Structures are given as C-alpha cells and as structure tokens.
Amino acid sequence: MTGGREKIWAISRDLYVVLARDGRYRDTNPAWLSELGYEASELIGLGFEELVHADDLDRARDAVSQMLDGDVVEDLELRLRAKDATYRWFAWTCVPDGDVVYGMGRDTQRRRDLDEQQRHAQKLEALGRLTGGIAHDFNNILGGIGGAIEVVAERLENGRVDGTRRLLDAAGGAVKRAAGLTHRLLAYARQQALSLSDVDANALVRELELLLRPLIGEQVTLELRMQDGLWRTLSDASQLESAVLNLAINARDAMPAGGTLTILTSNIAHADIGRGRRDYVVIAVSDTGTGMSPSVIEKAFDPFFTTKAIGQGTGLGLSMVDGFARQTGGRAIIESTPGQGTTVSLWLPRHVGENAAAHAHVNGAVVRGRGQHVLLVEDEEMLRSIAREVLEEAGYRVSDCAEAYEALRLIDAGPPPDLLVTDIGLPGMDGRQLALTVRETLRNVPVLFVTGYAWDAFADSQTLPERTAMLSKPFSVHALIDAVADLLGGTPT
Ligand SMILES: Nc1ncnc2c1ncn2[C@@H]1O[C@H](COP(=O)(O)OP(=O)(O)OP(=O)(O)O)[C@@H](O)[C@H]1O
Ligand SMILES: [Mg+2]
C-alpha cells in the first residue's frame, strides 16, 4: 500500500483488518488503538474469536464459513471487546481474497446508544402520560365522591335528609366510573379476567347493528360486509362487543361531516402478524374520515393518548382494544391515509374444535332462582355478605364460608350445592384447586370463579373448563345474578 491509500488506512476511524484464512490477525490499522485500545502488535497472531462477544460467536463463525466458500459478508453486526473490557458494536464488511480476508468495521455503537436513548425517552413520555391520565381521572372521581360525602354529612348534622339520596347516587356513579377505569387499564395491561367462549363474530356484529345506528348519527352510512362461513374465534363476547363499539365511535368521531362506516369480517389464512403463521378471523372497522398522521398512528395505542378536546376522550379506547386482542392471542392493526380514512382491524385467532359453551345472552328479563343451593366461598367479609344477600334476594339458598377447607367440610356435611361460587385468590387452597377437588365427587357441579385478575392457569389454555364462568371484580349485582342464572340454566320468568 502506498501514498494516499496508506494515509486513509492510517487516519480512518473505521477498523481495518487483514485476517489470515485461519482467522488470525495479520494487520490492523491505528483505529484499533483509538477505538478499542489495541496496538497492532498486540493483535497480530491472535485469533479473531478472542475479541468477539460470546453471544455473537455463532454468527461470526457462520460468516467465516461463508467466506471460506468465497462469499462476501456484509453488515455483520458484532460486539468486540475493547481493552478496558467493555464491548462495542461494529458492522463488518469482509471480502475473502486468496489466502487472506480484508475486513472493515464501522462503529454502530453510537447509533445504538442514540436509539436506546430515544426509546427510553419515548417510554418515559408514555409512562408520564399514563400516570398523569390515571391521576387526573381518579382525582376527578374522588372529588365527586368526597364532595357528596361531605354534603351528606353536613346535612345529617343539621338534621336534614333532603337530597341525600341524589348525592349518594352521584357518589355511586363515580364509583362505577372508577371501576370502569380500572377495567380499561387492566384490559390495556392484558390482565383483565376474560370469560372465553366460542364466538361467531358475524352474529356479534349483527347484534351490535341495532346499537350502532343511533350511535353514529344520520350523517354516517353504516355498511356491514360479512364473510360467509366466517370461522369462529375463542373470545370474550362482551369485551369484543365493547372493542368493536370503541372502534365504531372512533370512526364516527373522525367523520364530523358524515361519511361511510364499514364493518367487514373475513377469514385470513396463514397470516403472520408476529406470532408465526396462523389462521385469523378479522373484523375491520373502516371510515372515510380525517385519517391519522404517522406520528398519531405511532402513539394511538398508548393509554391516555388522545387528540380530542378535554372531556371528549380519555385516550383509553385503542389501548384497551389492542390489549384485549393481544390477550386473546391476536392484535389490532391500524392502516390510515390522512384525508382519506382509517381502517382499524382486529385480528383474532381462529378457533377450531368442538363448540365450547356458547355465549348465552339473558336478555333484560329478571332471572330468579328456584331455591337452588349456592355455595359461596369468598374471604372478603364485606363482598361475601353483599353477594349472599343479593343471591338470597334473587331466590337462591346460600351457604357461605371464607376458605376452601371450610367449603369442603360444608359439602361433606351435605346437602350438596347446585352451584359453587368461589373467589380465586383464597388463602390456603385457592379457588381453582377447590373447584377441582369438589368436582372429584360432584362431577357436574357448575362453578363461577370470581377474580380481580386474569387467571394465568386459564390464560395458558385459553379456555375455561366446561360449565364454568368467570366474573371479574368489581361486578354489578346484575352481572352476578346473570352469571349464576346462566350456569344454573335459569330461564327468565
Ligand atoms: N378512526 C380514526 N380516525 C382518525 N383518528 C383516529 C381514529 N381512531 C383513533 N384515532 C386517533 O387516535 C387517538 C386515540 O384513540 P383512542 O380511541 O385510544 O382514544 P380517544 O378516542 O381519543 O378517547 P376514548 O376512546 O378513550 O374516548 C384519537 O384521539 C385519535 O386522534
Ligand atoms: Mg376512542
């Protein structure tokens, strides 16, 4: 090497290397000293493997065998150990030539550091939005409850009871809002308890149609395009309804001057959306509205991200839709062109196999028991006594206790229960174990699980055992009675 070329070898900040075919260093440029701290004399004779990070060795060896076949290696990212024992990333281009290999390594550590910093900043920003949003919403709710309590207390002190009912109702409403908020947060965190059943998305969308028409207003045309012979999916019907509703409301909001809202269902075979090739049932909600810019799309799934005016949106819609879809093994995907419209599609894994307990709606009617015997196991005293009262009011005979062993004793003493209602998180033996044990003797007894969290044991299998259902806390009185009546095959009277 002579003249100008030699200069480049000398001043480059990229690493240049000449390796022997057996992988030993033959020559290195001065950048090895400035970047990694090695003089050429320290390296010559060493094997290239000595400086490569253990986790990158396999890839390095693959590249070497590729070169032995005479191929060029490009953009091979490897970490090299510097003299101070830290590792740095370099992207290598290597060319075999006769009995040597020429290599050039470009530092990619700086770019990686920057990417990492940016990711970290984005995470912090999202986290800030999340905590800020929760704090803000909960403050409002607490303000509502606290205010009502204060006024009621004051009136009682003055011997007045007028208006207290209304105030307490308002406080009750605030509690419901708080429960709704935690539900949506759990959905986002993929930790809500799902009650999975075989769902026909076409039927679900058709049922929603009635609700949707008034919701989207007269300026928006609703079109349903349902695929014939749509596959089934294992999902939580009521969560899925609320996901589709959320998407429809977003679509409506994006079309203030009217437009067309289309809900399309389709079977998509062998698609890879990040979980390997699988079959999916897709529900796509499209609008002809404002569309979304790439930067909005990027943040749209973040909780509390909203472009809507204060009080118009909480920014939880899409985050809970995607969280829910992911919890059932799918995901949500946004496609949008500013000025033309948006499609948000729900990809739900196809369910094959026998019909699991189909989702039964008990429509509106008051369902009452006929003296069936319910065994209620719940360690929270207050919840237990409320549930007991509610069930007795609804016409059931209730035995209750606070833990599993006591429940087993009650069953031994007879009479056997027609239904077991049990909290999952019990001290000692948990609710799931209890149900298994009870079913050893009472094979067909239906079980209603009550839980504050998704149950991992079910998340794995993606399905509830037969004749069981799941109710997540906090639940309304109606939800409890409906679930009990469903399991006991109660009919509306
Ligand atoms: N169909 C759509 N067209 C255009 N923009 C959309 C659409 N859907 C969502 N977006 C954008 O994504 C943001 C986040 O949507 P998301 O549903 O999570 O929250 P939100 O609708 O603002 O509030 P919430 O759903 O909690 O009432 C919206 O504020 C809006 O900017
Ligand atoms: Mg929304």
Side-chain angles (χ1 to χ4, degrees):
M1 229 177 301
T2 50
R5 294 188 195 171
E6 184 136 15
K7 247 276 134 59
I8 291 176
W9 169 274
I11 66 169
S12 168
R13 289 189 66 182
D14 293 335
L15 305 181
Y16 290 141
V17 62
V18 185
L19 291 175
R21 276 249 160 167
D22 64 2
R24 291 185 188 279
Y25 290 94
R26 275 218 189 153
D27 199 2
T28 59
N29 71 335
W32 288 79
L33 181 61
S34 58
E35 300 298 303
L36 293 174
Y38 298 112
E39 300 276 0
S41 58
E42 295 175 80
L43 294 172
I44 292 168
L46 284 185
F48 81 95
E49 301 188 353
E50 309 228 1
L51 298 186
V52 176
H53 192 286
D55 293 347
D56 301 341
L57 264 182
D58 284 348
R59 281 185 299 124
R61 290 189 182 124
D62 284 351
V64 167
S65 67
Q66 199 179 324
M67 282 187 288
L68 288 178
D69 292 341
D71 289 335
V72 172
V73 168
E74 272 178 304
D75 272 334
L76 170 72
E77 293 216 26
L78 296 176
R79 275 160 289 183
L80 291 193
R81 189 177 64 245
K83 201 154 184 188
D84 64 6
T86 59
Y87 282 89
R88 295 180 69 82
W89 283 99
F90 291 89
W92 290 95
T93 303
C94 299
V95 182
D97 183 28
D99 62 351
V100 294
V101 171
Y102 296 105
M104 193 270 284
R106 192 165 25 83
D107 184 320
T108 52
Q109 186 67 42
R110 274 183 281 272
R111 197 203 64 222
R112 280 173 182 264
D113 287 348
L114 280 178
D115 286 355
E116 183 50 40
Q117 270 168 24
Q118 199 182 354
R119 256 198 305 276
H120 187 63
Q122 278 168 350
K123 257 194 224 154
L124 284 183
E125 190 192 327
L127 192 64
R129 216 171 13 239
L130 175 65
T131 42
I134 299 172
H136 177 260
D137 281 13
F138 264 108
N139 254 342
N140 283 343
I141 291 167
L142 290 177
I145 300 172
I149 291 176
E150 221 170 282
V151 176
V152 170
E154 207 170 284
R155 291 203 180 163
L156 288 179
E157 250 166 43
N158 296 325
R160 289 170 53 195
V161 289
D162 57 297
T164 47
R165 175 75 220 188
R166 190 176 45 77
L167 285 161
L168 290 177
D169 283 349
V175 169
K176 273 206 190 108
R177 278 217 312 282
L181 185 66
T182 50
H183 257 287
R184 283 178 293 165
L185 287 170
L186 284 174
Y188 162 70
R190 297 172 225 167
Q191 292 200 352
Q192 72 180 329
L194 295 179
S195 165
L196 294 178
S197 65
D198 222 313
V199 172
D200 171 2
N202 278 353
L204 183 135
V205 170
R206 286 208 189 87
E207 265 183 46
L208 273 182
E209 190 182 351
L210 278 180
L211 230 147
L212 276 174
R213 296 239 178 241
L215 198 71
I216 58 176
E218 285 179 354
Q219 287 181 312
V220 175
T221 317
L222 178 63
E223 264 185 36
L224 301 187
R225 288 202 248 141
M226 313 275 98
Q227 161 138 30
D228 286 335
L230 189 70
W231 296 328
R232 286 167 299 131
T233 178
L234 201 58
S235 193
D236 181 314
S238 59
Q239 294 299 324
L240 185 56
E241 276 178 8
S242 98
V244 176
L245 274 179
N246 260 297
L247 297 182
I249 292 171
N250 280 351
R252 175 202 66 188
D253 292 348
M255 300 185 286
T260 306
L261 193 168
T262 310
I263 304 183
L264 179 142
T265 59
S266 54
N267 294 331
I268 300 200
H270 302 303
D272 188 350
I273 53 168
R275 299 185 176 228
R277 300 210 158 271
R278 286 170 76 173
D279 292 346
Y280 289 92
V281 173
V282 175
I283 308 177
V285 180
S286 307
D287 63 61
T288 53
T290 54
M292 298 160 83
S293 68
S295 69
V296 168
I297 294 181
E298 204 179 296
K299 300 200 184 89
F301 288 129
D302 287 357
F304 295 105
F305 173 80
T306 179
T307 58
K308 295 175 186 171
I310 293 174
Q312 300 287 312
T314 59
L316 282 172
L318 286 178
S319 66
M320 95 178 228
V321 167
D322 185 55
F324 160 67
R326 284 177 188 270
Q327 203 182 342
T328 62
R331 57 180 283 213
I333 293 175
I334 301 177
E335 291 156 289
S336 184
T337 312
Q340 303 207 348
T342 303
T343 298
V344 182
S345 38
L346 283 172
W347 291 65
L348 308 166
R350 173 187 189 179
H351 174 58
V352 275
E354 75 229 50
N355 244 35
H359 184 75
H361 277 292
V362 187
N363 279 330
V366 189
V367 185
R368 300 220 168 271
R370 281 167 271 112
Q372 294 104 314
H373 180 197
V374 176
L375 176 56
L376 172 67
V377 193
E378 165 66 64
D379 56 332
E380 272 181 63
E381 177 103 42
M382 185 136 119
L383 255 185
R384 189 172 75 239
S385 72
I386 292 174
R388 177 182 184 126
E389 198 172 316
V390 164
L391 288 172
E392 283 176 346
E393 288 246 295
Y396 299 98
R397 200 154 50 78
V398 181
S399 326
D400 65 346
C401 59
E403 49 96 27
Y405 295 104
E406 174 70 349
L408 293 173
R409 268 193 295 282
L410 285 176
I411 291 174
D412 267 345
D418 299 302
L419 168 73
L420 172 66
V421 179
T422 178
D423 190 3
I424 288 176
L426 292 170
M429 184 193 286
D430 71 16
R432 180 174 160 271
Q433 204 54 47
L434 171 65
L436 287 175
T437 314
V438 170
R439 281 197 168 171
E440 277 169 17
T441 45
L442 303 171
R443 289 206 164 276
N444 287 318
V445 71
V447 180
L448 176 61
F449 293 108
V450 179
T451 174
Y453 306 94
W455 187 7
D456 287 340
F458 285 157
D460 283 349
S461 66
Q462 296 277 323
T463 174
L464 280 170
E466 234 179 299
R467 303 256 293 159
T468 65
M470 183 114 77
L471 194 61
S472 47
K473 291 180 192 173
F475 48 83
S476 72
V477 167
H478 284 111
L480 174 64
I481 295 181
D482 281 355
V484 165
D486 256 8
L487 280 171
L488 285 171
T491 41
T493 50

PDB file of all heavy atoms in Angstrom, residues 279-298:
ATOM      1  N   ASP A 279     -54.178 -18.942  11.327  1.00  0.00           N
ATOM      2  CA  ASP A 279     -55.427 -18.503  10.701  1.00  0.00           C
ATOM      3  C   ASP A 279     -56.105 -17.475  11.606  1.00  0.00           C
ATOM      4  O   ASP A 279     -56.176 -17.673  12.817  1.00  0.00           O
ATOM      5  CB  ASP A 279     -56.381 -19.696  10.528  1.00  0.00           C
ATOM      6  CG  ASP A 279     -55.848 -20.683   9.506  1.00  0.00           C
ATOM      7  OD1 ASP A 279     -54.906 -20.308   8.772  1.00  0.00           O
ATOM      8  OD2 ASP A 279     -56.368 -21.806   9.448  1.00  0.00           O
ATOM      9  N   TYR A 280     -56.625 -16.425  10.981  1.00  0.00           N
ATOM     10  CA  TYR A 280     -57.269 -15.383  11.775  1.00  0.00           C
ATOM     11  C   TYR A 280     -58.671 -15.048  11.281  1.00  0.00           C
ATOM     12  O   TYR A 280     -58.947 -15.119  10.085  1.00  0.00           O
ATOM     13  CB  TYR A 280     -56.442 -14.094  11.748  1.00  0.00           C
ATOM     14  CG  TYR A 280     -55.163 -14.207  12.530  1.00  0.00           C
ATOM     15  CD1 TYR A 280     -53.983 -14.596  11.901  1.00  0.00           C
ATOM     16  CD2 TYR A 280     -55.136 -13.947  13.893  1.00  0.00           C
ATOM     17  CE1 TYR A 280     -52.805 -14.719  12.625  1.00  0.00           C
ATOM     18  CE2 TYR A 280     -53.964 -14.061  14.620  1.00  0.00           C
ATOM     19  CZ  TYR A 280     -52.803 -14.453  13.989  1.00  0.00           C
ATOM     20  OH  TYR A 280     -51.653 -14.571  14.707  1.00  0.00           O
ATOM     21  N   VAL A 281     -59.506 -14.676  12.239  1.00  0.00           N
ATOM     22  CA  VAL A 281     -60.785 -14.054  11.928  1.00  0.00           C
ATOM     23  C   VAL A 281     -60.535 -12.558  12.082  1.00  0.00           C
ATOM     24  O   VAL A 281     -60.055 -12.121  13.123  1.00  0.00           O
ATOM     25  CB  VAL A 281     -61.857 -14.491  12.949  1.00  0.00           C
ATOM     26  CG1 VAL A 281     -63.142 -13.716  12.724  1.00  0.00           C
ATOM     27  CG2 VAL A 281     -62.082 -15.991  12.863  1.00  0.00           C
ATOM     28  N   VAL A 282     -60.819 -11.796  11.024  1.00  0.00           N
ATOM     29  CA  VAL A 282     -60.517 -10.371  11.090  1.00  0.00           C
ATOM     30  C   VAL A 282     -61.799  -9.550  11.056  1.00  0.00           C
ATOM     31  O   VAL A 282     -62.684  -9.791  10.230  1.00  0.00           O
ATOM     32  CB  VAL A 282     -59.593  -9.956   9.923  1.00  0.00           C
ATOM     33  CG1 VAL A 282     -59.369  -8.445   9.932  1.00  0.00           C
ATOM     34  CG2 VAL A 282     -58.263 -10.672  10.027  1.00  0.00           C
ATOM     35  N   ILE A 283     -61.910  -8.632  12.003  1.00  0.00           N
ATOM     36  CA  ILE A 283     -63.009  -7.669  11.992  1.00  0.00           C
ATOM     37  C   ILE A 283     -62.380  -6.315  11.709  1.00  0.00           C
ATOM     38  O   ILE A 283     -61.601  -5.816  12.525  1.00  0.00           O
ATOM     39  CB  ILE A 283     -63.736  -7.607  13.346  1.00  0.00           C
ATOM     40  CG1 ILE A 283     -64.146  -9.008  13.803  1.00  0.00           C
ATOM     41  CG2 ILE A 283     -64.954  -6.686  13.261  1.00  0.00           C
ATOM     42  CD1 ILE A 283     -64.803  -9.023  15.178  1.00  0.00           C
ATOM     43  N   ALA A 284     -62.697  -5.740  10.544  1.00  0.00           N
ATOM     44  CA  ALA A 284     -62.079  -4.470  10.172  1.00  0.00           C
ATOM     45  C   ALA A 284     -63.123  -3.362  10.197  1.00  0.00           C
ATOM     46  O   ALA A 284     -64.186  -3.482   9.597  1.00  0.00           O
ATOM     47  CB  ALA A 284     -61.463  -4.584   8.787  1.00  0.00           C
ATOM     48  N   VAL A 285     -62.812  -2.303  10.922  1.00  0.00           N
ATOM     49  CA  VAL A 285     -63.720  -1.156  11.013  1.00  0.00           C
ATOM     50  C   VAL A 285     -63.094   0.003  10.236  1.00  0.00           C
ATOM     51  O   VAL A 285     -62.024   0.479  10.605  1.00  0.00           O
ATOM     52  CB  VAL A 285     -63.948  -0.750  12.477  1.00  0.00           C
ATOM     53  CG1 VAL A 285     -64.890   0.446  12.564  1.00  0.00           C
ATOM     54  CG2 VAL A 285     -64.524  -1.929  13.272  1.00  0.00           C
ATOM     55  N   SER A 286     -63.747   0.418   9.139  1.00  0.00           N
ATOM     56  CA  SER A 286     -63.171   1.462   8.285  1.00  0.00           C
ATOM     57  C   SER A 286     -64.050   2.700   8.279  1.00  0.00           C
ATOM     58  O   SER A 286     -65.272   2.608   8.364  1.00  0.00           O
ATOM     59  CB  SER A 286     -63.063   0.984   6.838  1.00  0.00           C
ATOM     60  OG  SER A 286     -62.385  -0.226   6.785  1.00  0.00           O
ATOM     61  N   ASP A 287     -63.394   3.849   8.128  1.00  0.00           N
ATOM     62  CA  ASP A 287     -64.151   5.079   7.958  1.00  0.00           C
ATOM     63  C   ASP A 287     -63.573   5.873   6.800  1.00  0.00           C
ATOM     64  O   ASP A 287     -62.476   5.586   6.320  1.00  0.00           O
ATOM     65  CB  ASP A 287     -64.122   5.910   9.252  1.00  0.00           C
ATOM     66  CG  ASP A 287     -62.719   6.350   9.629  1.00  0.00           C
ATOM     67  OD1 ASP A 287     -62.089   7.075   8.846  1.00  0.00           O
ATOM     68  OD2 ASP A 287     -62.251   5.942  10.727  1.00  0.00           O
ATOM     69  N   THR A 288     -64.337   6.854   6.340  1.00  0.00           N
ATOM     70  CA  THR A 288     -63.856   7.728   5.268  1.00  0.00           C
ATOM     71  C   THR A 288     -63.575   9.102   5.861  1.00  0.00           C
ATOM     72  O   THR A 288     -63.909  10.123   5.281  1.00  0.00           O
ATOM     73  CB  THR A 288     -64.918   7.844   4.160  1.00  0.00           C
ATOM     74  OG1 THR A 288     -66.156   8.251   4.769  1.00  0.00           O
ATOM     75  CG2 THR A 288     -65.129   6.517   3.462  1.00  0.00           C
ATOM     76  N   GLY A 289     -62.959   9.100   7.027  1.00  0.00           N
ATOM     77  CA  GLY A 289     -62.793  10.341   7.786  1.00  0.00           C
ATOM     78  C   GLY A 289     -61.442  11.002   7.615  1.00  0.00           C
ATOM     79  O   GLY A 289     -60.773  10.848   6.582  1.00  0.00           O
ATOM     80  N   THR A 290     -61.003  11.670   8.676  1.00  0.00           N
ATOM     81  CA  THR A 290     -59.806  12.514   8.617  1.00  0.00           C
ATOM     82  C   THR A 290     -58.506  11.746   8.407  1.00  0.00           C
ATOM     83  O   THR A 290     -57.536  12.297   7.917  1.00  0.00           O
ATOM     84  CB  THR A 290     -59.641  13.274   9.950  1.00  0.00           C
ATOM     85  OG1 THR A 290     -59.651  12.303  11.002  1.00  0.00           O
ATOM     86  CG2 THR A 290     -60.774  14.257  10.159  1.00  0.00           C
ATOM     87  N   GLY A 291     -58.488  10.484   8.802  1.00  0.00           N
ATOM     88  CA  GLY A 291     -57.234   9.738   8.728  1.00  0.00           C
ATOM     89  C   GLY A 291     -56.297  10.126   9.860  1.00  0.00           C
ATOM     90  O   GLY A 291     -56.607  11.015  10.665  1.00  0.00           O
ATOM     91  N   MET A 292     -55.172   9.436   9.927  1.00  0.00           N
ATOM     92  CA  MET A 292     -54.214   9.690  11.017  1.00  0.00           C
ATOM     93  C   MET A 292     -52.825   9.882  10.428  1.00  0.00           C
ATOM     94  O   MET A 292     -52.426   9.162   9.517  1.00  0.00           O
ATOM     95  CB  MET A 292     -54.177   8.475  11.964  1.00  0.00           C
ATOM     96  CG  MET A 292     -55.508   8.185  12.632  1.00  0.00           C
ATOM     97  SD  MET A 292     -55.616   6.486  13.242  1.00  0.00           S
ATOM     98  CE  MET A 292     -54.779   6.641  14.798  1.00  0.00           C
ATOM     99  N   SER A 293     -52.087  10.816  10.980  1.00  0.00           N
ATOM    100  CA  SER A 293     -50.705  11.021  10.525  1.00  0.00           C
ATOM    101  C   SER A 293     -49.842   9.904  11.112  1.00  0.00           C
ATOM    102  O   SER A 293     -50.213   9.292  12.112  1.00  0.00           O
ATOM    103  CB  SER A 293     -50.198  12.372  11.005  1.00  0.00           C
ATOM    104  OG  SER A 293     -50.066  12.333  12.410  1.00  0.00           O
ATOM    105  N   PRO A 294     -48.684   9.643  10.499  1.00  0.00           N
ATOM    106  CA  PRO A 294     -47.823   8.581  11.031  1.00  0.00           C
ATOM    107  C   PRO A 294     -47.485   8.788  12.505  1.00  0.00           C
ATOM    108  O   PRO A 294     -47.416   7.827  13.269  1.00  0.00           O
ATOM    109  CB  PRO A 294     -46.565   8.683  10.168  1.00  0.00           C
ATOM    110  CG  PRO A 294     -47.032   9.280   8.886  1.00  0.00           C
ATOM    111  CD  PRO A 294     -48.158  10.202   9.244  1.00  0.00           C
ATOM    112  N   SER A 295     -47.326  10.042  12.938  1.00  0.00           N
ATOM    113  CA  SER A 295     -46.946  10.236  14.340  1.00  0.00           C
ATOM    114  C   SER A 295     -48.118   9.942  15.279  1.00  0.00           C
ATOM    115  O   SER A 295     -47.909   9.512  16.412  1.00  0.00           O
ATOM    116  CB  SER A 295     -46.399  11.645  14.559  1.00  0.00           C
ATOM    117  OG  SER A 295     -47.436  12.580  14.426  1.00  0.00           O
ATOM    118  N   VAL A 296     -49.335  10.169  14.803  1.00  0.00           N
ATOM    119  CA  VAL A 296     -50.502   9.809  15.625  1.00  0.00           C
ATOM    120  C   VAL A 296     -50.653   8.285  15.666  1.00  0.00           C
ATOM    121  O   VAL A 296     -50.907   7.706  16.727  1.00  0.00           O
ATOM    122  CB  VAL A 296     -51.793  10.477  15.104  1.00  0.00           C
ATOM    123  CG1 VAL A 296     -53.024   9.884  15.765  1.00  0.00           C
ATOM    124  CG2 VAL A 296     -51.742  11.980  15.350  1.00  0.00           C
ATOM    125  N   ILE A 297     -50.457   7.637  14.523  1.00  0.00           N
ATOM    126  CA  ILE A 297     -50.561   6.167  14.499  1.00  0.00           C
ATOM    127  C   ILE A 297     -49.589   5.562  15.506  1.00  0.00           C
ATOM    128  O   ILE A 297     -49.929   4.644  16.252  1.00  0.00           O
ATOM    129  CB  ILE A 297     -50.241   5.621  13.094  1.00  0.00           C
ATOM    130  CG1 ILE A 297     -51.307   6.078  12.106  1.00  0.00           C
ATOM    131  CG2 ILE A 297     -50.165   4.090  13.116  1.00  0.00           C
ATOM    132  CD1 ILE A 297     -51.087   5.575  10.695  1.00  0.00           C
ATOM    133  N   GLU A 298     -48.379   6.122  15.533  1.00  0.00           N
ATOM    134  CA  GLU A 298     -47.346   5.578  16.407  1.00  0.00           C
ATOM    135  C   GLU A 298     -47.766   5.606  17.873  1.00  0.00           C
ATOM    136  O   GLU A 298     -47.424   4.717  18.637  1.00  0.00           O
ATOM    137  CB  GLU A 298     -46.089   6.410  16.211  1.00  0.00           C
ATOM    138  CG  GLU A 298     -44.811   5.705  16.559  1.00  0.00           C
ATOM    139  CD  GLU A 298     -43.646   6.639  16.297  1.00  0.00           C
ATOM    140  OE1 GLU A 298     -43.445   7.005  15.118  1.00  0.00           O
ATOM    141  OE2 GLU A 298     -42.988   7.036  17.268  1.00  0.00           O
TER     142      GLU A 298
END
